[in-house]
Amino acid sequence: MQLTDDYGRTINSLRISITNRCNLRCMYCHHEGDNREQQNECTVETFVNIVRAAKELGVSKVKFSGGEPLMREDFEDIIRALPGLKDISATTNGIYLENRAESLAESGLNRVNISLPSLSPEKYRMVTGGDVAPVLKGIDAAVDCGLTPVKLNMVLLKGINDTELRDMMDFIRQYDSSVILQLIEMMDFNGTSGYNVDIYEVEKFLESRASEIKERSMHRRKKYLINGVEVELVRPIDNSHFCASCTRLRVTSDGKLKPCLLRNDNLVDVNNKKPQEIKELMKLVTGKREPYYKS
Ligand code: SAM
């Protein structure tokens, strides 16, 4: 059985925030739309029940996020207890990755996205409040442990990192094709709209240098092959294609199903529910899904 919403979008992936705690303070952070005040994190068992129910409804991919997922010391326990899936990934700031990459890979994690807004220690600190050095070690560890392809998530910020695209591409070239650069258009959640780049200029820049351009089915994201380096562009704002091809359901750290990152008025609580009940609630929440940006 598969879940398909009223707009013909079949759900095939879950994006689960396992904590809203974080060790960084990124200036643009959207916190996955999770309520920062609540500290009522689900247990390993609840997350596993949610994934089991989703799998029975056709979901084959899970991405873990946060907060910072590596703030949870039982993250490996969650991964180990999951049913077999096509793809299990996580998005992390990479600060703790050097010490956790091996245990995460052993527990069954397939790959990671690592946030890296800048290679410059000064700019990195300005944007995140933290130190970039452990992140760079985390990238090496992730590649060494086979958590590949590693995607480096770079939220574009006008006047801060928009001049670093070439440096970033040069940086990932050393990893051959194990590392992909993912450029992300910033969504303004924190009054940071002054840092929004002109995304059409970025597209033009990438197009002019690409030897090949492909389109992914997920959110119809474009991928550019530039001098042996792969660059992906995530363009969520005012993008009806992004919403029209959204096939993911979100789960908050306190166990609520969340149909859309940008809305909080249609959440459905599944914390401490049995798998059969979770399945019914997943069907209910799928009926509430609606594209945020419509064409
Ligand atoms: N702490 C983890 C990390 O750094 O990846 C997981 C949480 S973070 C919210 C997940 C992803 O969302 C990161 O790749 C981050 O770059 C992206 N992100 C955060 N705020 C954003 C915003 N305002 N616009 C676009 N992407 C954003």
Side-chain angles (χ1 to χ4, degrees), residues 243-259:
C243 294
S245 51
C246 176
T247 52
R248 71 168 43 144
L249 195 58
R250 293 171 172 269
V251 181
T252 65
S253 56
D254 60 344
K256 296 194 173 66
L257 302 176
K258 184 168 165 45

Side-chain angles (χ1 to χ4, degrees), residues 15 21-24 26 28-32 64-69 90-94 113-116 153-155 182 184-190 192 236:
R15 185 166 175 118
R21 291 174 287 136
C22 192
N23 48 345
L24 291 180
C26 300
Y28 46 71
C29 187
H30 57 39
H31 306 275
E32 301 290 346
F64 291 101
S65 184
E68 170 49 40
T91 172
T92 168
N93 58 37
N113 289 37
I114 302 174
S115 299
L116 185 65
N153 285 0
M154 180 184 190
V155 173
Q182 183 157 262
I184 305 176
E185 183 182 22
M186 181 187 63
M187 290 178 274
D188 180 27
F189 282 75
N190 304 326
T192 46

Side-chain angles (χ1 to χ4, degrees), residues 207-259:
E207 270 167 24
S208 68
R209 279 157 181 81
S211 57
E212 199 184 333
I213 303 175
K214 288 186 195 160
E215 196 172 74
R216 282 184 63 190
S217 56
M218 170 72 161
H219 294 150
R220 293 189 56 186
R221 298 174 181 186
K222 285 208 175 125
K223 274 172 146 187
Y224 304 81
L225 198 66
I226 301 175
N227 288 336
V229 166
E230 201 173 309
V231 182
E232 197 169 312
L233 186 62
V234 183
R235 209 168 64 72
I237 302 177
D238 272 332
N239 185 352
S240 57
H241 292 314
F242 186 89
C243 294
S245 51
C246 176
T247 52
R248 71 168 43 144
L249 195 58
R250 293 171 172 269
V251 181
T252 65
S253 56
D254 60 344
K256 296 194 173 66
L257 302 176
K258 184 168 165 45

Side-chain angles (χ1 to χ4, degrees), residues 93-139:
N93 58 37
I95 300 276
Y96 297 145
L97 201 51
E98 186 185 14
N99 296 326
R100 299 278 290 280
E102 197 173 341
S103 59
L104 287 166
E106 276 170 11
S107 57
L109 189 70
N110 299 130
R111 58 187 183 86
V112 283
N113 289 37
I114 302 174
S115 299
L116 185 65
S118 178
L119 288 165
S120 142
E122 294 75 26
K123 286 185 183 174
Y124 185 87
R125 181 167 294 284
M126 183 176 105
V127 173
T128 69
D131 185 3
V132 74
V135 185
L136 302 181
K137 288 183 183 159
I139 296 169

